[in-house]
Amino acid sequence: MPAELLGKSRDELRAYCQALGEPAYRGAQIYHALYAGRRFDFAQMTDLPAELRARLAKEARISLPRVVRRYTSTDGSVRYLLALAAENARPASVEAVFMPSEDRQTICISTQAGCAVDCHFCLTAELGLIRNLSPGEILAQVLLPLEEHTERLAPRTNVVLMGQGEPLLNYDAVMAAVRIMLDTEGVGLSAKHVTLSTSGIVTGMERLAKEAVRPKLAISLSASTDEQRDALMPINRKYPLAKLLEACRRYPLRPWERLTFEYVMLGEVNDSPEDARRVVRLLAHLRAKVNLIPWNPGELPYREPAPERVEEFRRVLAEKGLPVFVRTSRGRDVMAACGQLALIEVVSGQSSVIS
Ligand code: SF4
């Protein structure tokens, strides 16, 4: 069985080359060609000797997921439906979304096929967890759209881990992929431009807090009381607001960093001015910003919030000095066909997806 190289770290590739009887630095060359150069065919790795390339072609492989479909939005966003290898005879597919804008592209990626967390406003929840993605499957969702749009890439790339799955419940694979994304010899993205969104897995947040290399953190709040959050996001019973916000207070932010709180506004459910005032109190003393995401009508039994309620909610937060953004929809026409990713929102070049 050929060895899969996509997803391997530099050290793993060095060890792999040494095991082949090659010098370890060949592994670093493969690492750079694969992640910085996006060369997915050994024949293109022309800084390797021809003999080694021929050997790798026989004994190793670089497998990108198969693109089952591309849905292109009128605003230029492309949603990829990607087939992953079946495990235990269970087929799996995920979505990645590429959203171009003038000075950057934002790529939303999935970390699990399906999800076990069961947020009630999320269609992915209905799938349950199918399986965790490997580091290579996570990275491929970044590399593949970048390569496909290579001719017209903007200078900056943002990645948001907000597609299918709860990233902190696939911690090791997610962080292995993130380290390669954030390595200057790897994909070379800035930590300021990679955001991991969690439903509030406190143990995962505590692990992330200790990482030397880590993405920014976004937390799906979406409620202003435990009662409300228990009803919308059952994970709240395990990690209630007090515990979650305590973990947020302890989270070591870098000087340039704020925690992002995503708040899905569901009409007549969690969108009142009282909710807004409670959110202000919950986030007091945190270096935070809030993304308000008005619900888009869809298959689930929720209503779009009235525009005046959204504005009132925004005003209450802003008046108390909380940076707050209302997300307007991007790629909505492709998402309508999606049925998996719940919401993709982009405003003034910043992106956020509810995961
Ligand atoms: S919103 Fe995210 S964490 Fe919640 S069920 Fe959906 S994919 Fe899972």
Side-chain angles (χ1 to χ4, degrees):
M1 182 85 168
E4 177 59 61
L5 301 194
L6 184 65
K8 285 201 190 301
S9 68
R10 184 177 16 228
D11 285 349
E12 287 168 335
L13 288 170
R14 286 167 66 92
Y16 173 73
C17 284
Q18 277 180 310
L20 293 183
E22 296 285 337
Y25 71 84
R26 294 290 181 212
Q29 285 178 306
I30 297 171
Y31 179 87
H32 191 262
L34 188 51
Y35 302 124
R38 298 193 296 272
R39 278 175 261 154
F40 307 130
D41 181 345
F42 296 115
Q44 296 172 335
M45 297 186 181
T46 46
D47 46 353
L48 300 179
E51 260 175 46
L52 176 58
R53 277 183 270 151
R55 187 169 176 198
L56 288 171
K58 278 199 214 114
E59 296 181 21
R61 63 181 184 182
I62 297 165
S63 329
L64 293 169
R66 185 170 59 84
V67 180
V68 179
R69 278 191 80 170
R70 285 175 188 77
Y71 302 85
T72 304
S73 165
T74 48
D75 64 17
S77 307
V78 182
R79 180 170 68 89
Y80 295 86
L81 178 61
L82 303 169
L84 307 174
E87 264 185 25
N88 303 325
R90 210 171 165 202
S93 62
V94 289
E95 292 92 10
V97 188
F98 178 87
M99 294 167 278
S101 65
E102 209 165 285
D103 62 340
R104 74 198 68 176
Q105 44 275 329
T106 299
I107 306 172
C108 172
I109 62 173
S110 299
T111 53
Q112 298 179 307
C115 183
V117 174
D118 199 23
C119 303
H120 290 180
F121 47 77
C122 173
L123 285 168
T124 299
E126 297 186 358
L127 297 172
L129 178 64
I130 298 169
R131 72 165 170 88
N132 281 330
L133 268 55
S134 68
E137 288 167 334
I138 296 168
L139 278 165
Q141 296 170 69
V142 175
L143 298 172
L144 196 146
L146 284 179
E147 190 52 23
E148 215 172 86
H149 294 83
T150 195
E151 299 297 327
R152 35 185 203 287
L153 286 179
R156 172 170 147 188
T157 298
N158 288 1
V159 170
V160 290
L161 287 78
M162 299 182 179
Q164 274 187 29
E166 164 52 67
L168 296 182
L169 292 181
N170 184 17
Y171 190 95
D172 291 333
V174 165
M175 285 309 294
V178 164
R179 283 183 206 109
I180 295 170
M181 281 181 221
L182 298 184
D183 181 8
T184 47
E185 288 296 305
V187 187
L189 306 180
S190 159
K192 292 181 179 173
H193 302 152
V194 177
T195 304
L196 181 154
S197 178
T198 180
S199 56
I201 308 294
V202 167
T203 45
M205 290 166 60
E206 288 167 348
R207 270 183 88 183
L208 194 62
K210 295 187 190 121
E211 296 282 354
V213 173
R214 59 187 154 91
K216 291 196 299 180
L217 184 61
I219 296 137
S220 179
L221 183 65
S222 301
S224 68
T225 65
D226 275 318
E227 195 186 0
Q228 236 178 30
R229 203 163 184 269
D230 283 351
L232 293 172
M233 301 177 70
I235 193 73
N236 194 66
R237 292 186 204 128
K238 188 160 184 192
Y239 302 114
L241 284 171
K243 215 170 176 179
L244 173 62
L245 293 166
E246 181 50 32
C248 291
R249 275 188 280 280
R250 285 198 309 267
Y251 195 78
L253 291 171
R254 291 156 284 194
W256 47 265
E257 192 173 13
R258 283 178 187 274
L259 288 170
T260 300
F261 289 87
E262 313 278 3
Y263 194 99
V264 182
M265 295 188 73
L266 305 166
E268 307 294 326
V269 174
N270 62 359
D271 63 341
S272 70
E274 295 72 47
D275 285 308
R277 285 189 276 277
R278 282 192 291 262
V279 167
V280 168
R281 285 197 290 277
L282 289 174
L283 304 188
H285 312 302
L286 283 172
R287 202 152 82 222
K289 72 170 186 174
V290 178
N291 291 333
L292 298 178
I293 301 158
W295 176 253
N296 286 332
E299 287 175 36
L300 295 168
Y302 295 107
R303 268 185 287 168
E304 201 168 1
E308 331 57 271
R309 300 266 277 197
V310 177
E311 175 48 26
E312 173 69 358
F313 202 109
R314 188 203 64 76
R315 197 181 55 73
V316 170
L317 269 56
E319 278 179 4
K320 296 292 178 191
L322 261 174
V324 53
F325 304 88
V326 178
R327 301 303 190 178
T328 52
S329 213
R330 174 116 196 246
R332 188 186 283 208
D333 51 344
V334 288
M335 287 339 268
C338 158
Q340 299 304 330
L341 292 178
L343 298 161
I344 292 212
E345 315 291 324
V346 172
V347 71
S348 51
Q350 296 176 319
S351 301
S352 108
V353 182
I354 291 299
S355 114

